[in-house]
């Protein structure tokens, strides 16, 4: 008897029909996709069979091969469904359970994304091990698909997040950090280096699905990286060693007071900054104030603003970067363009 289940693949509702397989194997396939189970009308369909047959898009010689092929097919449906609309990173996604802040661990096949997701996902919320989809506003669409691991003798084995005991991400998650994974036997403890987009643009673009289909894709990537305060390159040997650095990156802004900006009526870029019209008043921004005002399209803590300013303009003399940024933020607040941090805890999604 055929078994059917419906999977929500980033908005693409895929009806999976399993035929010609033992009921126990069909049940395992359904369990692997339990976190993405949905109801209602399907928008597309996949037929799964334990051996090649007419009309079966997904087949394999055994359960492992079928599970790997089904995972690939559903992932492709999800990526196709978001083409030209969302920035989709080839990355593992993990979320701080308390705040919903997400780190995207970006890397090609072999970088250790699935192992990292499985290892860290017992302490952090599991978002995805393959596909991190980000809206223009920075929200992440969770896609907790099954994970695939290489077997010693070749091939792969698929396991669902529930089987692995991975934590669930919160109801709303937002991209906070972008990190490039660089797995190497050279280092004994993880090393984290923060860089600007220019240093890693080719590496990032190579790990974005249908990058050219996005409207103004380089601008979209630049905005994402700026919101995240740059890119972090993590050189590591073992996935278990990543928990400390990842928690540190996610926790860098946890509970920190956030600056936010007042939306302007109009703004134009100038050779040496920008001009902003707000509340009937025109304010001419210096290069630093223009950078800070642009970053504050999403509320940011002071630490990230200082780091971004130093990446753009270099370290301030005598370590005065924080004081300089504070002073500029004060001027922007006096001009009615920036809101200082509220008293108490404030999150960007409140």
């Amino acid at each position: 008897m055929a078994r059917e289940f419906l999977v929500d693949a980033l908005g693409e509702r895929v009806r999976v029909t399993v035929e010609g397989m033992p009921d126990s194997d069909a049940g395992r396939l359904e369990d692997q996709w339990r976190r993405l189970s949905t109801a209602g009308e399907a928008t597309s369909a996949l037929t799964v069979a334990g051996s090649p047959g007419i009309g079966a898009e997904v087949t394999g010689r055994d359960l492992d091969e079928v599970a790997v092929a089904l995972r690939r097919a559903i992932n492709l449906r999800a990526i196709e469904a978001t083409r030209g609309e969302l920035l989709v990173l080839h990355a593992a996604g993990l979320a701080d359970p308390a705040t919903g802040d997400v780190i995207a661990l970006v890397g090609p096949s072999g970088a250790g994304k699935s192992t990292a997701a499985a290892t860290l996902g017992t302490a952090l919320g599991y978002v995805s091990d393959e596909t991190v989809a980000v809206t223009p506003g920075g929200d992440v669409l969770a896609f907790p698909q099954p994970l695939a691991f290489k077997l010693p003798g070749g091939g792969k084995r698929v396991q669902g997040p529930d089987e692995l005991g991975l934590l669930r991400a919160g109801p709303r998650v937002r991209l906070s950090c972008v990190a490039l994974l660089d797995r190497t036997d050279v280092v004994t403890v993880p090393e984290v280096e923060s860089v600007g987009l220019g240093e890693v643009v080719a590496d990032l673009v190579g790990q974005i699905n249908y990058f050219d289909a996005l409207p103004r894709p380089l601008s979209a990537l630049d905005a994402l990286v700026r919101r995240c305060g740059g890119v972090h390159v993590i050189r590591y040997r073992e996935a278990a060693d990543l928990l400390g650095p990842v928690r540190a990156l996610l926790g860098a802004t946890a509970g920190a007071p956030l600056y936010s900006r007042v939306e302007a009526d109009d703004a134009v870029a100038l050779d040496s900054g920008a001009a902003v019209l707000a509340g009937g008043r025109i304010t001419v921004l210096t290069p630093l104030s223009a950078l800070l005002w642009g970053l504050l399209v999403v509320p940011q803590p002071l630490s990230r603003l200082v780091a971004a300013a130093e990446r753009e303009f270099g370290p301030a003399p005598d370590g005065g970067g924080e004081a300089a940024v504070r002073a500029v933020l004060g001027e922007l607040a006096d001009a009615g363009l920036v809101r200082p941090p509220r008293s108490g805890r404030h999150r960007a999604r409140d």
Side-chain angles (χ1 to χ4, degrees), residues 264-266 275-284 331-337:
D265 300 312
D266 198 7
V276 180
L277 173 64
R281 176 182 176 183
I282 295 177
T283 303
V284 178
E331 294 170 0
L332 290 170
D334 292 341
L337 298 178

Side-chain angles (χ1 to χ4, degrees), residues 4-22:
E4 289 190 351
F5 55 94
L6 198 61
V7 173
D8 183 353
L10 297 178
E12 180 76 2
R13 303 161 72 83
V14 184
R15 184 180 67 250
V16 179
T17 302
V18 184
E19 299 176 341
M21 294 184 70

Side-chain angles (χ1 to χ4, degrees), residues 155 191 217 227 234 256 342 344 347:
E191 299 174 351
R227 283 197 300 267
I234 306 178
R342 302 174 185 175
R347 298 300 302 168

Side-chain angles (χ1 to χ4, degrees), residues 11-350:
E12 180 76 2
R13 303 161 72 83
V14 184
R15 184 180 67 250
V16 179
T17 302
V18 184
E19 299 176 341
M21 294 184 70
D23 191 61
S24 59
D25 286 351
R28 285 192 62 187
L29 288 176
E30 184 173 3
D31 286 343
Q32 289 170 0
W33 290 93
R34 187 74 63 189
R35 287 210 185 168
L36 289 166
S37 176
T38 188
E41 295 295 323
T43 54
S44 64
L46 283 171
T47 302
V48 179
S51 59
I54 297 175
E57 296 96 337
V58 176
T59 63
R61 293 173 297 181
D62 54 31
L63 177 61
D64 285 335
E65 283 195 2
V66 170
V68 169
L70 179 60
R71 181 178 181 272
R72 184 184 304 114
I74 293 179
N75 193 58
L76 287 174
R77 295 286 178 95
I79 293 170
E80 286 284 352
T82 61
R83 181 175 184 171
E85 297 179 2
L86 302 180
L87 194 151
V88 181
L89 293 160
H90 186 215
L94 295 150
D96 184 319
T99 66
D101 289 338
V102 172
I103 185 168
L105 301 175
V106 184
S109 297
K113 297 185 298 298
S114 294
T115 303
T119 303
L120 276 60
T122 56
L124 301 168
Y126 172 58
V127 176
S128 181
D129 84 319
E130 181 77 12
T131 305
V132 176
V134 188
T135 71
D139 286 331
V140 174
L141 302 188
F143 187 44
Q145 60 185 310
L147 297 84
F149 304 98
K150 291 182 179 178
L151 295 171
K156 291 184 176 182
R157 172 155 296 164
V158 174
Q159 292 180 273
D162 291 334
E163 180 183 358
L164 293 167
L166 305 188
L167 300 181
R168 292 177 179 268
R172 186 175 182 191
V173 286
R174 188 175 186 86
L175 190 66
S176 174
C177 298
V178 176
L180 281 169
L181 288 182
D182 181 8
R183 187 166 63 176
T184 173
D185 290 333
V186 175
V187 300
T188 55
V189 296
E191 299 174 351
V192 180
E193 179 186 6
S194 297
V195 300
L197 177 60
E199 297 177 62
V200 292
V201 62
D203 297 304
L204 278 180
V205 168
Q207 302 304 321
I208 298 176
N209 295 286
Y210 293 126
F211 181 73
D212 293 343
L214 291 166
R216 302 185 65 209
L218 284 173
S219 296
L221 178 59
D222 179 64
L224 179 147
V225 168
R226 286 179 180 273
R227 283 197 300 267
C228 292
V231 179
H232 309 284
V233 179
I234 306 178
R235 299 179 183 88
Y236 78 105
R237 178 182 291 181
E238 301 293 339
D241 297 331
L242 289 172
L243 183 57
V246 166
R247 272 184 163 160
L249 289 172
L250 284 173
T253 63
L258 302 181
Y259 287 84
S260 59
R261 86 179 191 187
V262 177
E263 288 305 317
D265 300 312
D266 198 7
V268 294
L270 303 176
D271 291 338
S272 58
V276 180
L277 173 64
R281 176 182 176 183
I282 295 177
T283 303
V284 178
L285 305 183
T286 66
L288 176 55
S289 58
L291 171 69
L292 298 177
W293 190 76
L295 289 170
L296 290 173
V297 66
V298 171
Q300 302 270 7
L302 180 64
S303 60
R304 280 195 178 168
L305 296 173
V306 173
E310 292 189 341
R311 276 196 304 274
E312 187 76 15
F313 302 108
D318 302 321
E322 181 175 321
V325 169
R326 280 186 184 275
V328 172
L329 290 169
E331 294 170 0
L332 290 170
D334 292 341
L337 298 178
V338 164
R339 295 186 186 92
R342 302 174 185 175
S343 59
R345 185 177 180 84
H346 167 63
R347 298 300 302 168
R349 50 191 153 270
D350 288 348

